[in-house]
Amino acid sequence: MMELIDFCRAHGIIIDVPPPIGYWKRYQTVDHPKKRNGAVKWMGDHAFVQNHATDTEVSIWKPDSINESKRRDYARLAQEAEQEKIRMQERAAVKAKELLNASVLSKHPYFKSKGFPDEQGWVNGDKLIIPVRLEGELVGCQLIDESGNKKFLYGQRTSDASFDFDNKGKHYHCEGYATALSLRHALRSLKRNYVIHVCFSAGNLLKLAQKFGGFVIADNDASGTGERVAKQTGLPYWISEVVGEDANDAHQRLGLFKFTQSLTQSLPIR
């Protein structure tokens, strides 16, 4: 069992014993210890593992010492898992379309809590719906409730996908929607065009930043994940000097003028 535990820990998942067989179980992670971004499904002789904050795909763990018959079994399981993943992604895309079609453009308490009381978005019941697209195609959505709790549709694709504020300018990459709102406000005050990619995780931010280039707006996680990934991109990046803050936190603490000054000191955007 220690091989599996070590594999999960290598993905940043805080785990001491395997979960019950056959069920996905959520765990806290090193990068976001207050959330349960880690997911493990133990199948008895193999496991599926994903840290949703850093991994864009599910990893499959299997013992180092297996015979050829087991190796073929694992290859078959991996193929079946890939097929089921595609089916879940297709169902999630359909569900996202249904949610958006039933939504209305409106204000939401989440906007007010982030310093944008007049902002409007797609609202369905008490949920703010953030569309997630890949190359223009809707693949899912992020749902945010009035308390700021977030979740994705079950099985949806997030790898290489994003929500974009597109003003036909330079590319900016960040993890969260509120960060993008603050960044957009600052860039507008500077009269700068932009394409802001909301990447939803550090791992996906790395992918999109390497694809498009531009600038990175990093979260200052206590674990250091945000800055580590920002450095991995090789792009200019901004990060708050306060541990635990993202750009929206800094914006609300500093005010627009000082927040914008902080951005321009780190990034060549003037």
Side-chain angles (χ1 to χ4, degrees):
M1 291 304 101
M2 282 309 299
E3 286 183 44
L4 171 59
I5 299 300
D6 290 342
F7 184 84
C8 295
R9 288 175 178 171
H11 284 260
I13 297 173
I14 301 172
I15 181 174
D16 295 314
V17 295
I21 292 176
Y23 297 92
W24 282 104
K25 185 172 180 180
R26 301 299 292 262
Y27 293 89
Q28 294 173 318
T29 60
V30 173
D31 47 306
H32 292 293
K34 294 183 179 180
K35 301 179 181 179
R36 294 185 177 272
N37 283 329
V40 181
K41 187 176 184 181
W42 167 232
M43 302 302 292
D45 56 0
H46 67 285
F48 303 100
V49 176
Q50 185 173 19
N51 181 340
H52 289 281
T54 56
D55 302 332
T56 56
E57 303 290 346
V58 174
S59 297
I60 298 177
W61 172 84
K62 51 187 180 293
D64 290 334
S65 301
I66 56 175
N67 58 37
E68 187 58 33
S69 176
K70 280 290 186 183
R71 194 179 303 279
R72 288 194 296 270
D73 287 343
Y74 289 136
R76 175 180 55 80
L77 287 168
Q79 184 179 32
E80 291 175 355
E82 180 64 22
Q83 292 170 346
E84 176 59 19
K85 182 180 74 172
I86 293 171
R87 287 192 289 270
M88 288 191 298
Q89 289 175 348
E90 291 171 346
R91 289 194 290 268
V94 171
K95 180 64 175 177
K97 185 176 181 180
E98 292 173 352
L99 286 171
L100 277 176
N101 286 342
S103 299
V104 295
L105 197 61
S106 178
K107 297 178 182 180
H108 189 271
Y110 179 74
F111 291 131
K112 184 177 181 180
S113 71
K114 298 300 180 179
F116 297 93
D118 296 324
E119 185 75 21
Q120 292 189 329
W122 294 109
V123 177
N124 187 317
D126 68 338
K127 301 291 193 303
L128 176 63
I129 311 296
I130 311 300
V132 180
R133 290 185 167 87
L134 174 61
E135 296 179 352
E137 294 295 324
L138 184 68
V139 295
C141 57
Q142 185 181 59
L143 288 75
I144 307 178
D145 68 18
E146 295 180 350
S147 299
N149 299 309
K150 303 170 186 175
K151 70 175 184 178
F152 294 108
L153 297 177
Y154 180 71
Q156 79 172 57
R157 176 166 183 167
T158 54
S159 178
D160 294 310
S162 63
F163 173 86
D164 298 339
F165 289 111
D166 190 348
N167 192 25
K168 310 303 180 186
K170 294 181 179 179
H171 293 275
Y172 296 81
H173 310 274
C174 62
E175 290 190 47
Y177 188 75
T179 285
L181 291 175
S182 291
L183 177 61
R184 183 186 65 173
H185 195 29
L187 292 172
R188 282 177 171 176
S189 74
L190 292 170
K191 295 181 170 53
R192 293 292 180 267
N193 290 348
Y194 50 78
V195 181
I196 302 173
H197 303 278
V198 181
C199 305
F200 302 107
S201 73
N204 198 43
L205 184 152
L206 177 61
K207 280 191 167 188
L208 293 177
Q210 290 178 332
K211 178 179 180 180
F212 292 110
F215 309 113
V216 171
I217 309 301
D219 293 353
N220 192 349
D221 313 296
S223 66
T225 300
E227 186 162 25
R228 173 177 56 79
V229 169
K231 289 178 177 178
Q232 281 183 266
T233 69
L235 301 175
Y237 70 92
W238 174 93
I239 189 168
S240 170
E241 72 275 14
V242 178
V243 175
E245 279 196 349
D246 60 21
N248 179 257
D249 298 321
H251 177 198
Q252 295 200 71
R253 174 175 58 85
L254 296 170
L256 178 62
F257 179 73
K258 288 186 177 180
F259 171 61
T260 303
Q261 277 190 320
S262 176
L263 284 173
T264 56
Q265 288 167 5
S266 297
L267 302 175
I269 57 178
R270 279 199 174 273

